[in-house]
Amino acid sequence: MILRRFIKKYKNTINQSKDKLKIIIKEFNMILVVGGAGYIGSHLNKEISKKGYKTVVFDNLSYGHEEFVKWGTFVQGDLGNIQDIRSVFEKYPIEAVMHFAAFTYVGESVEDPQKYYLNNVKNTLNLLQVMLEKNVKQFIFSSTCATYGNPVEIPITENHPQNPINPYGRGKLMVEQFLNDYNKAYRLEYASLRYFNAAGADPDGEIGESHNPETHLIPLILDVAAGKRDDVKIFGTDYNTPDGTCIRDYIHVTDLADAHILALKYLERGGKSDFFNLGNGNGFSVKEVIETAREITCKNIKAVETERRPGDPPILVGSSLKAREVLKWKPKYDDLSKIIETAWNWHKRL
Ligand code: UDP
């Protein structure tokens, strides 16, 4: 009775304190950015840190760059070693996990599928296992349009059939399916973000795209512009597209980073676990990309027409209506010139 009267009298004060406590907890908690030394992870790490979140970057540096970890706390560790994962959760107050660490060379995944299934699938299960052990239940996953396989309709929506045509895409789809099961069984909440072609660089020029070996179209073109390569190969000119070359949906890496933050906020406010495409919805052919790069760099970029690259669908263009409506995502760099300009600003300094 006395307690009830006390609660009634001090209800407002208690509620205000609860809100303050929530803010304090928020400031104390950290986001684990797995693979945060890589291309997309490092851009997310910058953007989310700017928004006031505290991050712990966990990366084995097999492909990542330590010098890209300019924000938050860095822990070098390997998802293949479950103790490495446990110790990061034991040391830091992790409230949510963003998982970027994966091998991403489609061709290599065909030649060496085990490498891809062990890292992209088994190691992700290790991460999820520790999350469940430590009762961390918010997960943002880097998925891919490669889970769709050859498109049967364009633009590709989230309801498009998923029939991946290579082990890279199959591994990502497997994890998506695990997430669905884990959500039902363990209430793990997730947002799985299916990227189209990530491109561009941090507009401030602090970080950018750097792969070894480089296989992506835009950095290869810019290597030619910078005089580091003689020419860029055009893989196939006989596709059923207006100029015969493949069409892709290029999305700026900072826009991808923003989508991750919005997805996290969506889960924080109790949004339902779901899958979201992230693309601009505009397709550009290989020849158009080369032409735009010539305009931006004012260099005569030599292009050589060659055979098709196995496993390349002619057109991949996504509809991101769902991310725009549900997450309130609005890409800022929705123009190919802007994307290439940021990439060139970074690239020409290398
Ligand atoms: N591409 C090309 N020459 C290259 C690299 C890529 O013509 O040296 C083409 C490739 O066939 C695809 C597009 O450029 O149609 C984008 O390829 P990228 O490897 O950048 O990304 P992906 O679409 O494979 O994720």
Side-chain angles (χ1 to χ4, degrees), residues 275-301:
F275 307 93
F276 299 94
N277 282 346
L278 299 179
N280 267 319
N282 304 318
F284 292 94
S285 73
V286 174
K287 284 189 175 169
E288 284 172 326
V289 175
I290 296 172
E291 206 38 60
T292 309
R294 286 184 180 133
E295 284 161 21
I296 299 289
T297 61
C298 301
K299 304 276 181 189
N300 176 25
I301 298 163

PDB file of all heavy atoms in Angstrom, residues 275-301:
ATOM      1  N   PHE A 275      14.195  -8.465 -44.815  1.00  0.00           N
ATOM      2  CA  PHE A 275      15.217  -8.383 -45.871  1.00  0.00           C
ATOM      3  C   PHE A 275      14.972  -7.114 -46.676  1.00  0.00           C
ATOM      4  O   PHE A 275      13.816  -6.803 -46.991  1.00  0.00           O
ATOM      5  CB  PHE A 275      15.088  -9.593 -46.810  1.00  0.00           C
ATOM      6  CG  PHE A 275      15.103 -10.902 -46.090  1.00  0.00           C
ATOM      7  CD1 PHE A 275      13.920 -11.520 -45.691  1.00  0.00           C
ATOM      8  CD2 PHE A 275      16.310 -11.512 -45.778  1.00  0.00           C
ATOM      9  CE1 PHE A 275      13.932 -12.723 -45.004  1.00  0.00           C
ATOM     10  CE2 PHE A 275      16.343 -12.723 -45.096  1.00  0.00           C
ATOM     11  CZ  PHE A 275      15.150 -13.318 -44.708  1.00  0.00           C
ATOM     12  N   PHE A 276      16.052  -6.427 -47.043  1.00  0.00           N
ATOM     13  CA  PHE A 276      15.898  -5.177 -47.794  1.00  0.00           C
ATOM     14  C   PHE A 276      16.933  -5.110 -48.921  1.00  0.00           C
ATOM     15  O   PHE A 276      18.128  -5.293 -48.673  1.00  0.00           O
ATOM     16  CB  PHE A 276      16.123  -3.961 -46.876  1.00  0.00           C
ATOM     17  CG  PHE A 276      15.151  -3.874 -45.739  1.00  0.00           C
ATOM     18  CD1 PHE A 276      15.477  -4.409 -44.497  1.00  0.00           C
ATOM     19  CD2 PHE A 276      13.909  -3.277 -45.910  1.00  0.00           C
ATOM     20  CE1 PHE A 276      14.572  -4.338 -43.438  1.00  0.00           C
ATOM     21  CE2 PHE A 276      13.002  -3.201 -44.857  1.00  0.00           C
ATOM     22  CZ  PHE A 276      13.340  -3.729 -43.619  1.00  0.00           C
ATOM     23  N   ASN A 277      16.473  -4.772 -50.101  1.00  0.00           N
ATOM     24  CA  ASN A 277      17.401  -4.471 -51.200  1.00  0.00           C
ATOM     25  C   ASN A 277      17.990  -3.088 -51.003  1.00  0.00           C
ATOM     26  O   ASN A 277      17.284  -2.163 -50.578  1.00  0.00           O
ATOM     27  CB  ASN A 277      16.644  -4.417 -52.538  1.00  0.00           C
ATOM     28  CG  ASN A 277      16.333  -5.791 -53.086  1.00  0.00           C
ATOM     29  OD1 ASN A 277      16.882  -6.785 -52.641  1.00  0.00           O
ATOM     30  ND2 ASN A 277      15.440  -5.838 -54.069  1.00  0.00           N
ATOM     31  N   LEU A 278      19.254  -2.933 -51.367  1.00  0.00           N
ATOM     32  CA  LEU A 278      19.876  -1.604 -51.351  1.00  0.00           C
ATOM     33  C   LEU A 278      20.526  -1.335 -52.701  1.00  0.00           C
ATOM     34  O   LEU A 278      21.593  -1.878 -53.009  1.00  0.00           O
ATOM     35  CB  LEU A 278      20.927  -1.503 -50.240  1.00  0.00           C
ATOM     36  CG  LEU A 278      20.441  -1.707 -48.805  1.00  0.00           C
ATOM     37  CD1 LEU A 278      21.614  -1.605 -47.830  1.00  0.00           C
ATOM     38  CD2 LEU A 278      19.350  -0.712 -48.427  1.00  0.00           C
ATOM     39  N   GLY A 279      19.850  -0.531 -53.482  1.00  0.00           N
ATOM     40  CA  GLY A 279      20.394  -0.131 -54.779  1.00  0.00           C
ATOM     41  C   GLY A 279      19.768   1.197 -55.148  1.00  0.00           C
ATOM     42  O   GLY A 279      18.902   1.711 -54.428  1.00  0.00           O
ATOM     43  N   ASN A 280      20.208   1.761 -56.261  1.00  0.00           N
ATOM     44  CA  ASN A 280      19.645   3.048 -56.690  1.00  0.00           C
ATOM     45  C   ASN A 280      18.440   2.899 -57.605  1.00  0.00           C
ATOM     46  O   ASN A 280      17.719   3.855 -57.854  1.00  0.00           O
ATOM     47  CB  ASN A 280      20.708   3.869 -57.423  1.00  0.00           C
ATOM     48  CG  ASN A 280      21.423   4.788 -56.463  1.00  0.00           C
ATOM     49  OD1 ASN A 280      20.789   5.381 -55.598  1.00  0.00           O
ATOM     50  ND2 ASN A 280      22.734   4.887 -56.604  1.00  0.00           N
ATOM     51  N   GLY A 281      18.304   1.689 -58.168  1.00  0.00           N
ATOM     52  CA  GLY A 281      17.198   1.468 -59.099  1.00  0.00           C
ATOM     53  C   GLY A 281      17.511   1.951 -60.507  1.00  0.00           C
ATOM     54  O   GLY A 281      16.658   1.901 -61.383  1.00  0.00           O
ATOM     55  N   ASN A 282      18.756   2.425 -60.744  1.00  0.00           N
ATOM     56  CA  ASN A 282      19.159   2.842 -62.098  1.00  0.00           C
ATOM     57  C   ASN A 282      20.258   1.902 -62.569  1.00  0.00           C
ATOM     58  O   ASN A 282      21.196   1.641 -61.817  1.00  0.00           O
ATOM     59  CB  ASN A 282      19.782   4.252 -62.091  1.00  0.00           C
ATOM     60  CG  ASN A 282      18.851   5.263 -61.491  1.00  0.00           C
ATOM     61  OD1 ASN A 282      17.656   5.234 -61.757  1.00  0.00           O
ATOM     62  ND2 ASN A 282      19.397   6.150 -60.675  1.00  0.00           N
ATOM     63  N   GLY A 283      20.134   1.469 -63.798  1.00  0.00           N
ATOM     64  CA  GLY A 283      21.162   0.584 -64.334  1.00  0.00           C
ATOM     65  C   GLY A 283      22.115   1.318 -65.262  1.00  0.00           C
ATOM     66  O   GLY A 283      21.690   2.193 -66.029  1.00  0.00           O
ATOM     67  N   PHE A 284      23.400   0.967 -65.181  1.00  0.00           N
ATOM     68  CA  PHE A 284      24.403   1.536 -66.101  1.00  0.00           C
ATOM     69  C   PHE A 284      25.207   0.405 -66.703  1.00  0.00           C
ATOM     70  O   PHE A 284      25.616  -0.523 -65.992  1.00  0.00           O
ATOM     71  CB  PHE A 284      25.332   2.504 -65.351  1.00  0.00           C
ATOM     72  CG  PHE A 284      24.611   3.742 -64.892  1.00  0.00           C
ATOM     73  CD1 PHE A 284      24.080   3.807 -63.617  1.00  0.00           C
ATOM     74  CD2 PHE A 284      24.419   4.814 -65.752  1.00  0.00           C
ATOM     75  CE1 PHE A 284      23.390   4.929 -63.194  1.00  0.00           C
ATOM     76  CE2 PHE A 284      23.729   5.940 -65.342  1.00  0.00           C
ATOM     77  CZ  PHE A 284      23.209   6.004 -64.049  1.00  0.00           C
ATOM     78  N   SER A 285      25.453   0.512 -68.006  1.00  0.00           N
ATOM     79  CA  SER A 285      26.225  -0.524 -68.681  1.00  0.00           C
ATOM     80  C   SER A 285      27.710  -0.299 -68.420  1.00  0.00           C
ATOM     81  O   SER A 285      28.120   0.807 -68.020  1.00  0.00           O
ATOM     82  CB  SER A 285      25.952  -0.485 -70.182  1.00  0.00           C
ATOM     83  OG  SER A 285      26.582   0.655 -70.740  1.00  0.00           O
ATOM     84  N   VAL A 286      28.506  -1.337 -68.676  1.00  0.00           N
ATOM     85  CA  VAL A 286      29.963  -1.227 -68.496  1.00  0.00           C
ATOM     86  C   VAL A 286      30.484  -0.066 -69.341  1.00  0.00           C
ATOM     87  O   VAL A 286      31.281   0.760 -68.873  1.00  0.00           O
ATOM     88  CB  VAL A 286      30.658  -2.563 -68.878  1.00  0.00           C
ATOM     89  CG1 VAL A 286      32.161  -2.422 -68.840  1.00  0.00           C
ATOM     90  CG2 VAL A 286      30.203  -3.690 -67.959  1.00  0.00           C
ATOM     91  N   LYS A 287      30.000   0.035 -70.585  1.00  0.00           N
ATOM     92  CA  LYS A 287      30.476   1.121 -71.459  1.00  0.00           C
ATOM     93  C   LYS A 287      30.077   2.485 -70.899  1.00  0.00           C
ATOM     94  O   LYS A 287      30.860   3.448 -70.983  1.00  0.00           O
ATOM     95  CB  LYS A 287      29.931   0.942 -72.879  1.00  0.00           C
ATOM     96  CG  LYS A 287      30.668  -0.141 -73.643  1.00  0.00           C
ATOM     97  CD  LYS A 287      30.263  -0.170 -75.116  1.00  0.00           C
ATOM     98  CE  LYS A 287      31.101  -1.189 -75.872  1.00  0.00           C
ATOM     99  NZ  LYS A 287      30.587  -1.430 -77.223  1.00  0.00           N
ATOM    100  N   GLU A 288      28.888   2.582 -70.328  1.00  0.00           N
ATOM    101  CA  GLU A 288      28.462   3.875 -69.739  1.00  0.00           C
ATOM    102  C   GLU A 288      29.333   4.239 -68.540  1.00  0.00           C
ATOM    103  O   GLU A 288      29.665   5.408 -68.330  1.00  0.00           O
ATOM    104  CB  GLU A 288      26.991   3.808 -69.307  1.00  0.00           C
ATOM    105  CG  GLU A 288      26.024   3.885 -70.469  1.00  0.00           C
ATOM    106  CD  GLU A 288      24.576   3.622 -70.061  1.00  0.00           C
ATOM    107  OE1 GLU A 288      24.321   2.809 -69.146  1.00  0.00           O
ATOM    108  OE2 GLU A 288      23.689   4.215 -70.698  1.00  0.00           O
ATOM    109  N   VAL A 289      29.696   3.246 -67.762  1.00  0.00           N
ATOM    110  CA  VAL A 289      30.546   3.516 -66.586  1.00  0.00           C
ATOM    111  C   VAL A 289      31.904   4.035 -67.064  1.00  0.00           C
ATOM    112  O   VAL A 289      32.428   5.028 -66.545  1.00  0.00           O
ATOM    113  CB  VAL A 289      30.703   2.246 -65.707  1.00  0.00           C
ATOM    114  CG1 VAL A 289      31.674   2.504 -64.566  1.00  0.00           C
ATOM    115  CG2 VAL A 289      29.354   1.795 -65.165  1.00  0.00           C
ATOM    116  N   ILE A 290      32.456   3.384 -68.091  1.00  0.00           N
ATOM    117  CA  ILE A 290      33.768   3.813 -68.604  1.00  0.00           C
ATOM    118  C   ILE A 290      33.661   5.242 -69.153  1.00  0.00           C
ATOM    119  O   ILE A 290      34.512   6.101 -68.878  1.00  0.00           O
ATOM    120  CB  ILE A 290      34.281   2.824 -69.684  1.00  0.00           C
ATOM    121  CG1 ILE A 290      34.521   1.451 -69.051  1.00  0.00           C
ATOM    122  CG2 ILE A 290      35.561   3.349 -70.355  1.00  0.00           C
ATOM    123  CD1 ILE A 290      34.833   0.338 -70.040  1.00  0.00           C
ATOM    124  N   GLU A 291      32.601   5.510 -69.883  1.00  0.00           N
ATOM    125  CA  GLU A 291      32.419   6.844 -70.475  1.00  0.00           C
ATOM    126  C   GLU A 291      32.302   7.915 -69.383  1.00  0.00           C
ATOM    127  O   GLU A 291      32.924   8.985 -69.466  1.00  0.00           O
ATOM    128  CB  GLU A 291      31.158   6.821 -71.368  1.00  0.00           C
ATOM    129  CG  GLU A 291      31.128   7.815 -72.497  1.00  0.00           C
ATOM    130  CD  GLU A 291      32.466   8.042 -73.188  1.00  0.00           C
ATOM    131  OE1 GLU A 291      33.021   7.076 -73.731  1.00  0.00           O
ATOM    132  OE2 GLU A 291      32.964   9.207 -73.170  1.00  0.00           O
ATOM    133  N   THR A 292      31.524   7.607 -68.346  1.00  0.00           N
ATOM    134  CA  THR A 292      31.365   8.576 -67.239  1.00  0.00           C
ATOM    135  C   THR A 292      32.711   8.806 -66.559  1.00  0.00           C
ATOM    136  O   THR A 292      33.058   9.945 -66.209  1.00  0.00           O
ATOM    137  CB  THR A 292      30.324   8.054 -66.218  1.00  0.00           C
ATOM    138  OG1 THR A 292      29.150   7.684 -66.923  1.00  0.00           O
ATOM    139  CG2 THR A 292      29.978   9.093 -65.175  1.00  0.00           C
ATOM    140  N   ALA A 293      33.476   7.739 -66.374  1.00  0.00           N
ATOM    141  CA  ALA A 293      34.799   7.885 -65.730  1.00  0.00           C
ATOM    142  C   ALA A 293      35.722   8.742 -66.598  1.00  0.00           C
ATOM    143  O   ALA A 293      36.511   9.536 -66.072  1.00  0.00           O
ATOM    144  CB  ALA A 293      35.406   6.513 -65.484  1.00  0.00           C
ATOM    145  N   ARG A 294      35.611   8.613 -67.916  1.00  0.00           N
ATOM    146  CA  ARG A 294      36.433   9.467 -68.813  1.00  0.00           C
ATOM    147  C   ARG A 294      36.084  10.932 -68.577  1.00  0.00           C
ATOM    148  O   ARG A 294      36.977  11.790 -68.515  1.00  0.00           O
ATOM    149  CB  ARG A 294      36.198   9.094 -70.281  1.00  0.00           C
ATOM    150  CG  ARG A 294      36.856   7.793 -70.667  1.00  0.00           C
ATOM    151  CD  ARG A 294      36.677   7.508 -72.173  1.00  0.00           C
ATOM    152  NE  ARG A 294      37.307   6.254 -72.531  1.00  0.00           N
ATOM    153  CZ  ARG A 294      36.742   5.292 -73.269  1.00  0.00           C
ATOM    154  NH1 ARG A 294      35.517   5.443 -73.741  1.00  0.00           N
ATOM    155  NH2 ARG A 294      37.404   4.191 -73.541  1.00  0.00           N
ATOM    156  N   GLU A 295      34.778  11.207 -68.452  1.00  0.00           N
ATOM    157  CA  GLU A 295      34.356  12.610 -68.249  1.00  0.00           C
ATOM    158  C   GLU A 295      34.855  13.143 -66.915  1.00  0.00           C
ATOM    159  O   GLU A 295      35.360  14.253 -66.819  1.00  0.00           O
ATOM    160  CB  GLU A 295      32.825  12.713 -68.282  1.00  0.00           C
ATOM    161  CG  GLU A 295      32.257  12.617 -69.690  1.00  0.00           C
ATOM    162  CD  GLU A 295      30.766  12.265 -69.695  1.00  0.00           C
ATOM    163  OE1 GLU A 295      30.098  12.478 -68.667  1.00  0.00           O
ATOM    164  OE2 GLU A 295      30.301  11.757 -70.737  1.00  0.00           O
ATOM    165  N   ILE A 296      34.724  12.334 -65.868  1.00  0.00           N
ATOM    166  CA  ILE A 296      35.105  12.798 -64.521  1.00  0.00           C
ATOM    167  C   ILE A 296      36.615  12.997 -64.408  1.00  0.00           C
ATOM    168  O   ILE A 296      37.088  13.967 -63.824  1.00  0.00           O
ATOM    169  CB  ILE A 296      34.643  11.767 -63.443  1.00  0.00           C
ATOM    170  CG1 ILE A 296      33.135  11.594 -63.460  1.00  0.00           C
ATOM    171  CG2 ILE A 296      35.155  12.129 -62.049  1.00  0.00           C
ATOM    172  CD1 ILE A 296      32.334  12.751 -62.943  1.00  0.00           C
ATOM    173  N   THR A 297      37.366  12.053 -64.953  1.00  0.00           N
ATOM    174  CA  THR A 297      38.823  12.098 -64.744  1.00  0.00           C
ATOM    175  C   THR A 297      39.539  12.903 -65.826  1.00  0.00           C
ATOM    176  O   THR A 297      40.715  13.215 -65.680  1.00  0.00           O
ATOM    177  CB  THR A 297      39.415  10.667 -64.767  1.00  0.00           C
ATOM    178  OG1 THR A 297      39.140  10.095 -66.065  1.00  0.00           O
ATOM    179  CG2 THR A 297      38.790   9.784 -63.700  1.00  0.00           C
ATOM    180  N   CYS A 298      38.821  13.208 -66.919  1.00  0.00           N
ATOM    181  CA  CYS A 298      39.429  13.877 -68.081  1.00  0.00           C
ATOM    182  C   CYS A 298      40.630  13.082 -68.603  1.00  0.00           C
ATOM    183  O   CYS A 298      41.642  13.656 -69.011  1.00  0.00           O
ATOM    184  CB  CYS A 298      39.863  15.304 -67.735  1.00  0.00           C
ATOM    185  SG  CYS A 298      38.516  16.315 -67.181  1.00  0.00           S
ATOM    186  N   LYS A 299      40.524  11.761 -68.512  1.00  0.00           N
ATOM    187  CA  LYS A 299      41.607  10.903 -69.018  1.00  0.00           C
ATOM    188  C   LYS A 299      41.024  10.015 -70.119  1.00  0.00           C
ATOM    189  O   LYS A 299      39.849   9.630 -70.066  1.00  0.00           O
ATOM    190  CB  LYS A 299      42.154   9.977 -67.910  1.00  0.00           C
ATOM    191  CG  LYS A 299      42.637  10.699 -66.690  1.00  0.00           C
ATOM    192  CD  LYS A 299      44.054  11.188 -66.841  1.00  0.00           C
ATOM    193  CE  LYS A 299      44.463  11.885 -65.563  1.00  0.00           C
ATOM    194  NZ  LYS A 299      45.720  12.569 -65.652  1.00  0.00           N
ATOM    195  N   ASN A 300      41.901   9.662 -71.028  1.00  0.00           N
ATOM    196  CA  ASN A 300      41.482   8.765 -72.094  1.00  0.00           C
ATOM    197  C   ASN A 300      41.683   7.327 -71.616  1.00  0.00           C
ATOM    198  O   ASN A 300      42.778   6.793 -71.700  1.00  0.00           O
ATOM    199  CB  ASN A 300      42.313   9.054 -73.349  1.00  0.00           C
ATOM    200  CG  ASN A 300      41.974   8.092 -74.448  1.00  0.00           C
ATOM    201  OD1 ASN A 300      40.872   7.547 -74.480  1.00  0.00           O
ATOM    202  ND2 ASN A 300      42.927   7.838 -75.330  1.00  0.00           N
ATOM    203  N   ILE A 301      40.656   6.739 -71.085  1.00  0.00           N
ATOM    204  CA  ILE A 301      40.782   5.406 -70.470  1.00  0.00           C
ATOM    205  C   ILE A 301      40.632   4.339 -71.551  1.00  0.00           C
ATOM    206  O   ILE A 301      39.567   4.211 -72.159  1.00  0.00           O
ATOM    207  CB  ILE A 301      39.712   5.247 -69.363  1.00  0.00           C
ATOM    208  CG1 ILE A 301      39.963   6.292 -68.270  1.00  0.00           C
ATOM    209  CG2 ILE A 301      39.710   3.834 -68.801  1.00  0.00           C
ATOM    210  CD1 ILE A 301      38.793   6.531 -67.349  1.00  0.00           C
TER     211      ILE A 301
END
